[in-house]
Coordinates of all heavy atoms in Angstrom, one line a residue:
R145 N 125.7 -16.0 -1.2 CA 125.0 -17.2 -1.6 C 125.1 -17.5 -3.1 O 125.3 -18.6 -3.5 CB 123.6 -17.1 -1.1 CG 122.8 -18.4 -1.5 CD 121.6 -18.5 -0.7 NE 120.7 -19.5 -1.2 CZ 120.6 -20.7 -0.8 NH1 121.3 -21.1 0.3 NH2 119.8 -21.6 -1.3
A146 N 125.1 -16.5 -3.9 CA 125.2 -16.7 -5.3 C 126.5 -17.3 -5.7 O 126.5 -18.1 -6.6 CB 124.9 -15.4 -6.0
A147 N 127.6 -16.9 -5.1 CA 128.9 -17.5 -5.4 C 128.9 -19.0 -5.1 O 129.3 -19.8 -6.0 CB 130.0 -16.8 -4.6
L148 N 128.3 -19.4 -4.0 CA 128.3 -20.8 -3.7 C 127.4 -21.6 -4.6 O 127.7 -22.7 -5.0 CB 127.8 -21.0 -2.3 CG 128.8 -20.9 -1.2 CD1 128.2 -21.0 0.2 CD2 129.9 -21.9 -1.3
E149 N 126.3 -21.0 -5.0 CA 125.4 -21.7 -6.0 C 126.1 -21.9 -7.3 O 126.0 -22.9 -7.9 CB 124.1 -20.9 -6.2 CG 123.2 -20.9 -4.9 CD 122.0 -20.1 -5.0 OE1 121.8 -19.4 -6.1 OE2 121.2 -20.0 -4.1
A150 N 126.8 -20.9 -7.8 CA 127.6 -21.0 -9.0 C 128.6 -22.0 -8.9 O 128.9 -22.9 -9.8 CB 128.2 -19.6 -9.4
M151 N 129.4 -22.0 -7.8 CA 130.4 -23.0 -7.6 C 129.8 -24.4 -7.5 O 130.5 -25.4 -8.1 CB 131.2 -22.7 -6.3 CG 132.0 -21.4 -6.4 SD 132.6 -20.8 -4.8 CE 134.0 -21.9 -4.6
A152 N 128.7 -24.6 -6.9 CA 128.1 -25.9 -6.8 C 127.7 -26.4 -8.2 O 127.6 -27.7 -8.4 CB 126.9 -25.9 -5.9
M153 N 127.5 -25.5 -9.1 CA 127.2 -25.9 -10.5 C 128.4 -26.1 -11.3 O 128.3 -26.4 -12.5 CB 126.2 -24.9 -11.1 CG 124.9 -24.9 -10.4 SD 123.5 -24.2 -11.2 CE 123.6 -25.1 -12.8
G154 N 129.6 -25.9 -10.7 CA 130.8 -26.2 -11.4 C 131.4 -25.0 -12.2 O 132.1 -25.1 -13.1
W155 N 130.9 -23.8 -11.8 CA 131.4 -22.6 -12.4 C 132.5 -21.9 -11.5 O 132.2 -21.6 -10.3 CB 130.3 -21.6 -12.6 CG 129.3 -22.0 -13.7 CD1 128.1 -22.6 -13.5 CD2 129.5 -21.8 -15.1 NE1 127.6 -22.8 -14.7 CE2 128.4 -22.4 -15.7 CE3 130.5 -21.3 -15.9 CZ2 128.2 -22.4 -17.1 CZ3 130.4 -21.3 -17.3 CH2 129.3 -21.8 -17.9
P156 N 133.6 -21.5 -12.1 CA 134.5 -20.7 -11.3 C 133.9 -19.3 -11.2 O 133.2 -18.8 -12.0 CB 135.8 -20.6 -12.2 CG 135.3 -20.9 -13.6 CD 134.1 -21.8 -13.4
V157 N 134.1 -18.6 -10.1 CA 133.5 -17.4 -9.8 C 134.6 -16.2 -9.9 O 135.7 -16.4 -9.6 CB 132.8 -17.3 -8.5 CG1 131.6 -18.2 -8.5 CG2 133.6 -17.6 -7.3
V158 N 134.1 -15.1 -10.2 CA 134.9 -13.8 -10.2 C 134.2 -13.0 -9.2 O 133.0 -12.7 -9.3 CB 134.9 -13.1 -11.6 CG1 135.6 -11.8 -11.5 CG2 135.5 -14.0 -12.6
T159 N 135.0 -12.6 -8.1 CA 134.4 -12.0 -7.0 C 135.3 -10.9 -6.4 O 136.5 -11.0 -6.6 CB 134.1 -13.0 -5.9 OG1 133.3 -12.4 -4.8 CG2 135.3 -13.6 -5.4
P160 N 134.7 -9.9 -5.8 CA 135.6 -8.9 -5.2 C 136.4 -9.5 -4.0 O 135.9 -10.4 -3.4 CB 134.6 -7.8 -4.6 CG 133.3 -8.1 -5.3 CD 133.3 -9.5 -5.7
A161 N 137.6 -9.1 -3.9 CA 138.4 -9.6 -2.8 C 138.1 -8.8 -1.5 O 138.9 -8.1 -1.0 CB 139.9 -9.4 -3.1
A162 N 136.9 -9.1 -1.1 CA 136.4 -8.4 0.2 C 135.3 -9.2 0.9 O 134.7 -10.1 0.2 CB 135.8 -7.1 -0.3
G163 N 135.1 -9.0 2.1 CA 134.1 -9.6 2.9 C 134.2 -11.1 3.0 O 135.3 -11.7 2.8
G164 N 133.1 -11.8 3.2 CA 133.1 -13.2 3.4 C 133.4 -14.0 2.2 O 133.8 -15.2 2.3
R165 N 133.4 -13.4 1.0 CA 133.7 -14.2 -0.2 C 135.2 -14.7 -0.1 O 135.5 -15.7 -0.7 CB 133.5 -13.3 -1.4 CG 132.0 -13.1 -1.6 CD 131.8 -12.2 -2.8 NE 130.6 -11.5 -2.7 CZ 130.6 -10.2 -2.3 NH1 131.7 -9.5 -2.1 NH2 129.4 -9.5 -2.1
R166 N 136.0 -14.0 0.6 CA 137.4 -14.4 0.7 C 137.5 -15.8 1.4 O 138.5 -16.5 1.2 CB 138.3 -13.4 1.4 CG 138.5 -12.1 0.6 CD 139.3 -11.1 1.4 NE 138.5 -10.7 2.5 CZ 138.8 -9.8 3.4 NH1 140.0 -9.2 3.3 NH2 138.0 -9.4 4.3
E167 N 136.6 -16.1 2.2 CA 136.6 -17.4 3.0 C 136.0 -18.5 2.1 O 136.3 -19.7 2.3 CB 135.8 -17.3 4.2 CG 136.3 -16.3 5.2 CD 135.4 -16.1 6.4 OE1 134.4 -16.8 6.5 OE2 135.7 -15.2 7.2
I168 N 135.3 -18.1 1.0 CA 134.7 -19.1 0.2 C 135.5 -19.4 -1.0 O 135.8 -20.6 -1.4 CB 133.3 -18.6 -0.3 CG1 132.3 -18.5 0.9 CG2 132.7 -19.6 -1.3 CD1 131.0 -17.8 0.6
V169 N 136.0 -18.4 -1.7 CA 136.7 -18.5 -2.9 C 138.2 -18.6 -2.7 O 138.8 -17.6 -2.0 CB 136.4 -17.4 -3.9 CG1 137.2 -17.5 -5.2 CG2 134.9 -17.4 -4.2
T170 N 138.9 -19.6 -3.2 CA 140.3 -19.6 -3.1 C 140.9 -19.1 -4.4 O 140.7 -19.7 -5.5 CB 140.8 -21.1 -2.9 OG1 140.2 -21.6 -1.7 CG2 142.3 -21.2 -2.7
A171 N 141.4 -17.9 -4.3 CA 141.8 -17.2 -5.6 C 142.8 -18.1 -6.3 O 143.7 -18.7 -5.8 CB 142.5 -15.9 -5.2
Q172 N 142.6 -18.1 -7.6 CA 143.4 -18.8 -8.6 C 143.2 -20.3 -8.6 O 143.9 -21.0 -9.3 CB 144.9 -18.5 -8.5 CG 145.2 -17.0 -8.5 CD 144.9 -16.4 -9.9 OE1 145.0 -17.0 -10.9 NE2 144.4 -15.1 -9.8
V173 N 142.4 -20.8 -7.7 CA 142.1 -22.2 -7.6 C 140.7 -22.5 -8.0 O 140.5 -23.3 -8.9 CB 142.3 -22.8 -6.1 CG1 141.9 -24.2 -6.0 CG2 143.7 -22.5 -5.7
D174 N 139.7 -21.9 -7.4 CA 138.3 -22.1 -7.8 C 137.6 -20.9 -8.2 O 136.4 -20.9 -8.5 CB 137.5 -22.8 -6.6 CG 137.7 -22.2 -5.3 OD1 137.9 -20.9 -5.3 OD2 137.8 -22.9 -4.3
G175 N 138.3 -19.8 -8.3 CA 137.8 -18.5 -8.8 C 138.8 -17.5 -8.9 O 140.0 -17.7 -8.6
L176 N 138.4 -16.3 -9.3 CA 139.3 -15.2 -9.3 C 138.8 -14.0 -8.5 O 137.6 -13.7 -8.5 CB 139.4 -14.7 -10.8 CG 140.0 -15.7 -11.8 CD1 139.9 -15.1 -13.2 CD2 141.4 -16.1 -11.4
A177 N 139.7 -13.5 -7.7 CA 139.3 -12.3 -6.8 C 139.9 -11.1 -7.5 O 141.0 -11.0 -7.9 CB 139.9 -12.6 -5.4
V178 N 139.1 -10.0 -7.5 CA 139.5 -8.8 -8.1 C 139.3 -7.7 -7.0 O 138.5 -7.8 -6.1 CB 138.7 -8.4 -9.3 CG1 139.0 -9.4 -10.4 CG2 137.2 -8.3 -9.1
P179 N 140.1 -6.6 -7.1 CA 140.0 -5.5 -6.2 C 138.6 -4.9 -6.3 O 138.0 -4.8 -7.4 CB 141.0 -4.5 -6.6 CG 142.0 -5.3 -7.4 CD 141.2 -6.4 -8.0
R180 N 138.1 -4.4 -5.2 CA 136.7 -3.7 -5.3 C 136.9 -2.5 -6.1 O 137.9 -1.8 -6.1 CB 136.3 -3.4 -3.9 CG 135.9 -4.6 -3.0 CD 135.5 -4.2 -1.7 NE 134.4 -3.3 -1.7 CZ 133.8 -2.7 -0.7 NH1 134.4 -2.8 0.5 NH2 132.8 -1.9 -0.9
R181 N 135.8 -2.2 -6.8 CA 135.6 -0.9 -7.6 C 136.8 -0.8 -8.6 O 137.3 0.3 -8.9 CB 135.6 0.2 -6.7 CG 134.4 0.2 -5.7 CD 134.3 1.5 -4.9 NE 133.1 1.3 -4.0 CZ 133.1 1.6 -2.8 NH1 134.1 2.3 -2.3 NH2 132.0 1.5 -2.1
D182 N 137.1 -1.9 -9.3 CA 138.1 -1.9 -10.3 C 137.6 -2.6 -11.5 O 137.7 -3.8 -11.8 CB 139.4 -2.6 -9.8 CG 140.5 -2.4 -10.8 OD1 140.3 -2.1 -12.0 OD2 141.7 -2.7 -10.4
P183 N 136.8 -1.8 -12.4 CA 136.2 -2.4 -13.6 C 137.2 -3.0 -14.5 O 136.9 -4.0 -15.2 CB 135.4 -1.3 -14.1 CG 135.9 0.0 -13.6 CD 136.5 -0.4 -12.3
T184 N 138.4 -2.5 -14.6 CA 139.4 -3.0 -15.5 C 139.8 -4.4 -15.0 O 139.9 -5.3 -15.9 CB 140.6 -2.0 -15.6 OG1 140.1 -0.8 -16.0 CG2 141.7 -2.6 -16.5
A185 N 140.0 -4.5 -13.8 CA 140.4 -5.9 -13.2 C 139.3 -6.9 -13.4 O 139.5 -8.0 -13.7 CB 140.8 -5.7 -11.7
L186 N 138.1 -6.4 -13.2 CA 136.9 -7.3 -13.4 C 136.8 -7.8 -14.8 O 136.7 -9.0 -15.1 CB 135.7 -6.5 -13.0 CG 134.3 -7.3 -13.1 CD1 134.4 -8.5 -12.1 CD2 133.2 -6.4 -12.8
A187 N 137.0 -6.9 -15.8 CA 136.9 -7.2 -17.2 C 138.1 -8.2 -17.5 O 137.9 -9.1 -18.3 CB 137.0 -6.0 -18.1
H188 N 139.2 -7.9 -17.0 CA 140.4 -8.8 -17.2 C 140.1 -10.2 -16.7 O 140.5 -11.2 -17.4 CB 141.6 -8.2 -16.6 CG 142.8 -9.0 -16.8 ND1 143.5 -9.2 -18.0 CD2 143.5 -9.8 -15.9 CE1 144.5 -10.0 -17.9 NE2 144.6 -10.4 -16.6
A189 N 139.5 -10.3 -15.5 CA 139.3 -11.6 -15.0 C 138.3 -12.4 -15.8 O 138.5 -13.6 -16.1 CB 138.7 -11.5 -13.5
F190 N 137.2 -11.8 -16.3 CA 136.3 -12.5 -17.1 C 136.9 -12.8 -18.5 O 136.7 -13.9 -19.0 CB 135.0 -11.6 -17.4 CG 134.0 -11.6 -16.2 CD1 133.7 -10.5 -15.6 CD2 133.4 -12.8 -15.8 CE1 132.8 -10.5 -14.5 CE2 132.5 -12.8 -14.8 CZ 132.2 -11.7 -14.1
T191 N 137.7 -11.9 -19.0 CA 138.4 -12.2 -20.3 C 139.3 -13.4 -20.1 O 139.4 -14.3 -21.0 CB 139.1 -11.0 -20.8 OG1 138.2 -9.9 -21.0 CG2 139.8 -11.2 -22.1
T192 N 140.0 -13.4 -19.0 CA 141.0 -14.5 -18.8 C 140.3 -15.9 -18.8 O 140.7 -16.8 -19.4 CB 141.7 -14.3 -17.4 OG1 142.4 -13.1 -17.5 CG2 142.6 -15.5 -17.0
L193 N 139.1 -15.9 -18.1 CA 138.4 -17.2 -18.1 C 137.8 -17.5 -19.4 O 137.8 -18.7 -19.8 CB 137.3 -17.2 -17.0 CG 137.9 -17.2 -15.5 CD1 136.7 -17.0 -14.6 CD2 138.6 -18.4 -15.2
A194 N 137.3 -16.5 -20.1 CA 136.6 -16.8 -21.4 C 137.6 -17.3 -22.4 O 137.3 -18.1 -23.3 CB 136.0 -15.4 -21.9
R195 N 138.9 -16.8 -22.4 CA 139.9 -17.2 -23.4 C 140.6 -18.5 -23.0 O 141.4 -19.0 -23.9 CB 140.9 -16.1 -23.5 CG 140.3 -14.9 -24.2 CD 141.3 -13.8 -24.4 NE 140.8 -12.7 -25.1 CZ 141.3 -11.5 -25.2 NH1 142.5 -11.3 -24.6 NH2 140.7 -10.6 -25.9
D196 N 140.4 -19.1 -21.8 CA 141.1 -20.3 -21.5 C 140.2 -21.3 -21.0 O 140.0 -21.5 -19.8 CB 142.2 -19.9 -20.4 CG 143.2 -21.0 -20.1 OD1 142.9 -22.2 -20.5 OD2 144.2 -20.7 -19.5
P197 N 139.6 -22.1 -21.9 CA 138.6 -23.1 -21.5 C 139.2 -24.2 -20.6 O 138.5 -24.7 -19.7 CB 138.1 -23.7 -22.8 CG 139.0 -23.2 -23.8 CD 139.8 -22.1 -23.3
G198 N 140.5 -24.5 -20.7 CA 141.1 -25.6 -19.8 C 141.2 -25.1 -18.4 O 140.8 -25.8 -17.5
R199 N 141.6 -23.8 -18.2 CA 141.6 -23.2 -16.9 C 140.2 -23.1 -16.3 O 140.0 -23.4 -15.1 CB 142.3 -21.9 -17.0 CG 142.5 -21.2 -15.6 CD 143.2 -19.9 -15.8 NE 143.5 -19.3 -14.5 CZ 144.0 -18.1 -14.3 NH1 144.4 -17.4 -15.4 NH2 144.2 -17.6 -13.2
R200 N 139.3 -22.6 -17.1 CA 137.9 -22.5 -16.7 C 137.4 -23.9 -16.2 O 136.7 -23.9 -15.2 CB 137.1 -21.9 -17.8 CG 135.7 -21.5 -17.5 CD 135.0 -20.7 -18.6 NE 134.9 -21.6 -19.8 CZ 135.5 -21.3 -21.0 NH1 136.2 -20.2 -21.1 NH2 135.3 -22.1 -22.0
C201 N 137.7 -24.9 -16.9 CA 137.2 -26.3 -16.5 C 137.9 -26.7 -15.2 O 137.2 -27.2 -14.4 CB 137.5 -27.2 -17.7 SG 136.9 -28.9 -17.4
R202 N 139.2 -26.6 -15.1 CA 139.9 -27.0 -13.9 C 139.3 -26.2 -12.7 O 139.1 -26.7 -11.6 CB 141.4 -26.7 -14.0 CG 142.1 -27.7 -14.9 CD 143.6 -27.5 -14.9 NE 144.1 -26.2 -15.2 CZ 144.2 -25.7 -16.4 NH1 144.0 -26.5 -17.5 NH2 144.7 -24.6 -16.6
M203 N 139.2 -24.9 -12.9 CA 138.7 -24.1 -11.8 C 137.2 -24.4 -11.5 O 136.8 -24.4 -10.3 CB 138.8 -22.6 -12.1 CG 140.3 -22.1 -12.1 SD 140.5 -20.4 -12.6 CE 140.2 -19.6 -11.0
G204 N 136.5 -24.8 -12.5 CA 135.1 -25.2 -12.2 C 135.0 -26.4 -11.4 O 134.1 -26.6 -10.5
L205 N 135.8 -27.4 -11.7 CA 135.8 -28.6 -11.0 C 136.3 -28.4 -9.5 O 135.7 -28.9 -8.6 CB 136.8 -29.7 -11.6 CG 136.4 -30.2 -13.0 CD1 137.4 -31.1 -13.6 CD2 135.1 -31.0 -12.8
A206 N 137.3 -27.5 -9.3 CA 137.7 -27.2 -8.0 C 136.6 -26.4 -7.2 O 136.4 -26.6 -6.1 CB 139.0 -26.4 -8.0
A207 N 135.9 -25.6 -8.0 CA 134.8 -24.8 -7.4 C 133.7 -25.7 -6.9 O 133.1 -25.6 -5.8 CB 134.2 -23.8 -8.4
R208 N 133.3 -26.7 -7.7 CA 132.3 -27.7 -7.3 C 132.7 -28.4 -6.0 O 132.0 -28.6 -5.1 CB 132.0 -28.7 -8.4 CG 130.9 -29.7 -8.0 CD 130.6 -30.6 -9.1 NE 129.6 -29.8 -9.9 CZ 129.2 -30.2 -11.1 NH1 129.6 -31.4 -11.6 NH2 128.4 -29.5 -11.8
A209 N 133.9 -28.9 -6.0 CA 134.5 -29.6 -4.8 C 134.5 -28.7 -3.6 O 134.1 -29.1 -2.4 CB 135.9 -30.1 -5.1
R210 N 134.9 -27.4 -3.8 CA 134.9 -26.4 -2.6 C 133.5 -26.2 -2.1 O 133.3 -26.0 -0.9 CB 135.6 -25.2 -3.1 CG 135.6 -24.1 -2.0 CD 136.5 -24.4 -0.9 NE 136.6 -23.2 0.0 CZ 136.7 -23.3 1.3 NH1 136.7 -24.5 1.9 NH2 136.7 -22.2 2.0
A211 N 132.5 -26.1 -3.0 CA 131.1 -25.8 -2.6 C 130.6 -26.9 -1.7 O 129.8 -26.6 -0.8 CB 130.3 -25.6 -3.8
Q212 N 131.1 -28.1 -1.9 CA 130.6 -29.2 -1.0 C 131.0 -29.0 0.4 O 130.4 -29.6 1.3 CB 131.2 -30.6 -1.6 CG 130.6 -31.0 -2.9 CD 129.1 -31.0 -2.9 OE1 128.5 -31.6 -2.0 NE2 128.5 -30.3 -3.8
D213 N 132.1 -28.3 0.7 CA 132.5 -28.0 2.0 C 131.5 -27.2 2.8 O 131.5 -27.1 4.0 CB 133.8 -27.2 2.0 CG 135.0 -28.0 1.6 OD1 134.9 -29.2 1.5 OD2 136.0 -27.3 1.2
F214 N 130.6 -26.5 2.1 CA 129.6 -25.7 2.6 C 128.2 -26.3 2.6 O 127.2 -25.6 3.0 CB 129.6 -24.3 2.0 CG 130.8 -23.5 2.2 CD1 131.9 -23.6 1.3 CD2 131.0 -22.7 3.3 CE1 133.0 -22.9 1.5 CE2 132.2 -22.1 3.5 CZ 133.2 -22.2 2.6
A215 N 128.1 -27.5 2.1 CA 126.8 -28.2 2.0 C 126.3 -28.5 3.5 O 127.0 -28.7 4.4 CB 126.9 -29.5 1.3
I216 N 125.0 -28.4 3.6 CA 124.4 -28.5 5.0 C 124.5 -29.9 5.5 O 124.7 -30.1 6.7 CB 122.9 -28.0 5.0 CG1 122.4 -27.8 6.4 CG2 122.0 -28.9 4.2 CD1 123.1 -26.7 7.2
G217 N 124.4 -30.9 4.7 CA 124.4 -32.3 5.1 C 125.6 -32.7 5.9 O 125.5 -33.2 7.1
P218 N 126.8 -32.4 5.4 CA 128.1 -32.7 6.1 C 128.2 -31.9 7.4 O 128.7 -32.4 8.4 CB 129.2 -32.4 5.1 CG 128.5 -32.5 3.8 CD 127.1 -32.1 4.0
Q219 N 127.7 -30.7 7.4 CA 127.8 -29.9 8.6 C 126.9 -30.4 9.7 O 127.2 -30.5 10.9 CB 127.3 -28.4 8.3 CG 128.3 -27.7 7.4 CD 127.9 -26.3 7.1 OE1 127.1 -25.7 7.7 NE2 128.5 -25.7 6.0
I220 N 125.7 -30.9 9.3 CA 124.8 -31.5 10.3 C 125.4 -32.8 10.9 O 125.4 -33.0 12.1 CB 123.4 -31.8 9.7 CG1 122.7 -30.5 9.4 CG2 122.6 -32.7 10.6 CD1 121.4 -30.7 8.7
A221 N 126.0 -33.6 10.0 CA 126.7 -34.8 10.5 C 127.8 -34.5 11.4 O 128.0 -35.2 12.4 CB 127.2 -35.6 9.3
A222 N 128.6 -33.5 11.2 CA 129.7 -33.1 12.0 C 129.2 -32.7 13.4 O 129.8 -33.0 14.4 CB 130.5 -32.0 11.4
V223 N 128.1 -31.9 13.4 CA 127.6 -31.5 14.7 C 127.0 -32.7 15.5 O 127.2 -32.8 16.7 CB 126.4 -30.5 14.5 CG1 125.7 -30.2 15.8 CG2 127.0 -29.2 13.9
D224 N 126.4 -33.6 14.8 CA 125.9 -34.8 15.4 C 127.0 -35.7 16.1 O 126.8 -36.3 17.1 CB 125.1 -35.7 14.4 CG 123.7 -35.2 14.1 OD1 123.3 -34.3 14.8 OD2 123.1 -35.6 13.1
E225 N 128.1 -35.6 15.5 CA 129.3 -36.4 16.0 C 129.8 -35.8 17.3 O 130.5 -36.5 18.1 CB 130.4 -36.5 15.0 CG 130.1 -37.4 13.9 CD 131.2 -37.4 12.8 OE1 132.4 -37.0 13.2 OE2 131.0 -37.9 11.7
L226 N 129.5 -34.5 17.6 CA 130.0 -33.9 18.8 C 129.2 -34.5 19.9 O 129.4 -34.7 21.0 CB 129.8 -32.4 18.7 CG 130.6 -31.7 17.7 CD1 130.2 -30.2 17.7 CD2 132.1 -31.8 18.0

């Protein structure tokens, strides 16, 4: 849930490439996925975003748009159409 909240606020996320987060975050588009238990990769991902404001902005905009796919309103409307 925290990843979706950050994305809804326009922040690209850095997340482990595991579990349900893989369905939420599109790596290199709206966030960065790193291997589990790899602190070096995690640090590199944060450094990458910190040093590239243009990329961070583009990914943040994509993250906000992606988060809308999980908003409850559109999901309710889709069920109502069934």
Side-chain angles (χ1 to χ4, degrees):
R145 179 163 166 100
L148 277 175
E149 290 176 2
M151 292 170 75
M153 298 203 47
W155 288 98
V157 295
V158 176
T159 186
R165 291 179 210 102
R166 288 179 294 184
E167 297 173 7
I168 296 169
V169 177
T170 306
Q172 305 299 324
V173 175
D174 48 33
L176 299 175
V178 297
R180 291 179 61 189
R181 299 186 180 139
D182 187 342
T184 302
L186 183 63
H188 178 71
F190 280 118
T191 302
T192 297
L193 290 175
R195 291 183 176 164
D196 191 343
R199 182 177 186 184
R200 191 172 59 241
C201 182
R202 287 188 304 277
M203 291 177 83
L205 292 172
R208 179 175 281 173
R210 177 72 173 139
Q212 293 304 308
D213 293 343
F214 296 91
I216 192 69
Q219 292 180 18
I220 290 172
V223 170
D224 284 345
E225 289 180 14
L226 295 176

